[in-house]
Amino acid sequence: MTGIFAINGSPRRNKNTAKMLDSFLDGAGESGKYATERIDLFDYNIRGCTSCFACKRNDPDTYGVCALRDDVYDILQRLRGADGLVFGSPVYFGNITGQLLCFVERLLYPLISYEKDFKILTKKRMPTAFIYTMNMTEEQCNMYHYPAIWAPLEENIGVVFSRPERVCAYNTYQFDNYSKYKSAAFNESEKARHRDLEFPKELQDAYEAGKRMADEAATGIDQTPKTAYDFIAAPRNRP
Ligand SMILES: Cc1cc2nc3c(=O)[nH]c(=O)nc-3n(C[C@H](O)[C@H](O)[C@H](O)COP(=O)(O)O)c2cc1C
């Protein structure tokens, strides 16, 4: 499976996260070099890792492969040959959605071996990105240390595929019509202002990041095999 793929961890197929991912894919597809596709995880029944360890067993038929034969088995295998991967999630309680976490467990864990130095089994490293959308403003996001919550997963993606570029949409407009909801905690007019003036810029950020991913994929990224020690040694804060 070649091309650049967006993994949508939002249950909503046409809201903030999906729009950011679509803009990213528009950028990624601009040069015409790469086909792009969005995969909406909520279309599938997904279980997280069940700790069966089939992927660690000394058996060439199962080694390094998730054995769970559910809806996403084929997707997981095919994504290994992708040219680039962007993950997108609404922030739930500071973190990514459970659905996306289940998917990422299944994607990453079989590739992180228990061989010497926890050798990474990835055949092909590829550029990655992570898009987060949230109610919090950028200032609140930093005040509540969200980037620190996201860092360990990003670093694991880093050793398996490459360190993801992070793109955020803050202060998102959550409802189509705030007057239908008890939502006095939010200032609707400020939310609408952000949606009309700032969200377009965030979509543009996503578009530019998509273009960068396609450029990186075309140039070819460092294919030096990694071990989990590269994760442990990785600095926690991206520039
Ligand atoms: C269950 C749940 C938990 C949430 N937790 C947070 C949170 O901890 N921090 C935050 O900034 N936004 C939180 N939000 C708001 C969403 O992250 C935000 O509205 C997001 O942009 C929605 O993305 P979507 O439009 O793609 O669904 C939460 C929303 C839900 C439904």
Side-chain angles (χ1 to χ4, degrees):
M1 186 177 195
T2 53
I4 293 180
F5 293 87
I7 312 298
N8 180 19
S10 172
R12 305 199 294 175
R13 289 171 184 76
N14 193 27
K15 297 296 184 203
N16 298 284
T17 310
K19 286 178 184 163
M20 288 287 282
L21 287 170
D22 286 348
S23 188
F24 186 101
L25 290 183
D26 286 346
E30 192 204 67
S31 69
K33 281 196 192 115
Y34 297 102
T36 63
E37 184 181 330
R38 194 180 93 196
I39 296 168
D40 293 320
L41 290 185
F42 278 77
D43 287 348
Y44 302 96
N45 285 317
I46 305 177
R47 281 188 292 162
C49 173
T50 59
S51 211
C52 72
F53 299 118
C55 64
K56 306 279 178 275
R57 202 172 300 146
N58 192 1
D59 174 346
D61 290 337
T62 64
Y63 193 62
V65 176
C66 181
L68 278 183
R69 300 282 176 149
D70 65 1
D71 276 8
V72 292
Y73 178 85
D74 290 335
I75 296 174
L76 288 169
Q77 307 322 320
R78 284 182 290 138
L79 284 182
R80 292 178 175 203
D83 294 298
L85 272 183
V86 53
F87 304 89
S89 186
V91 170
Y92 285 1
F93 306 103
N95 219 321
I96 63 170
T97 58
Q99 190 88 346
L100 181 55
L101 187 55
C102 285
F103 183 81
V104 173
E105 285 170 10
R106 303 267 306 282
L107 181 68
L108 299 187
Y109 187 67
L111 294 167
I112 300 172
S113 84
Y114 285 179
E115 292 182 50
K116 187 170 183 306
D117 294 340
F118 302 95
K119 185 178 117 189
I120 303 299
L121 304 178
T122 317
K123 295 266 181 321
K124 180 184 174 189
R125 288 177 62 76
M126 64 184 85
T128 67
F130 219 117
I131 291 175
Y132 304 88
T133 78
M134 69 208 87
N135 255 328
M136 296 267 185
T137 62
E138 182 171 9
E139 190 186 20
Q140 290 166 332
C141 167
N142 290 323
M143 192 169 80
Y144 287 100
H145 305 290
Y146 281 5
I149 297 171
W150 308 332
L153 184 58
E154 290 178 352
E155 286 163 15
N156 276 286
I157 293 170
V159 288
V160 173
F161 296 122
S162 74
R163 179 72 72 91
E165 174 169 3
R166 186 187 296 159
V167 184
C168 293
Y170 304 100
N171 201 4
T172 52
Y173 204 79
Q174 200 165 12
F175 309 123
D176 288 335
N177 183 347
Y178 274 68
S179 69
K180 288 187 181 166
Y181 299 87
K182 293 191 182 205
S183 55
F186 296 109
N187 178 340
E188 190 278 334
S189 57
E190 167 50 22
K191 284 270 181 201
R193 188 202 67 79
H194 194 98
R195 177 197 60 199
D196 296 339
L197 297 180
E198 305 300 331
F199 191 55
K201 294 180 201 160
E202 293 165 336
L203 289 172
Q204 185 64 26
D205 289 345
Y207 185 90
E208 299 297 335
K211 270 172 62 173
R212 279 193 292 281
M213 178 178 284
D215 287 346
E216 259 191 286
T219 310
I221 70 162
D222 177 17
Q223 294 291 336
T224 313
K226 302 286 178 196
T227 77
Y229 286 115
D230 295 298
F231 156 61
I232 293 162
R236 288 213 157 236
N237 296 315
R238 285 177 61 78

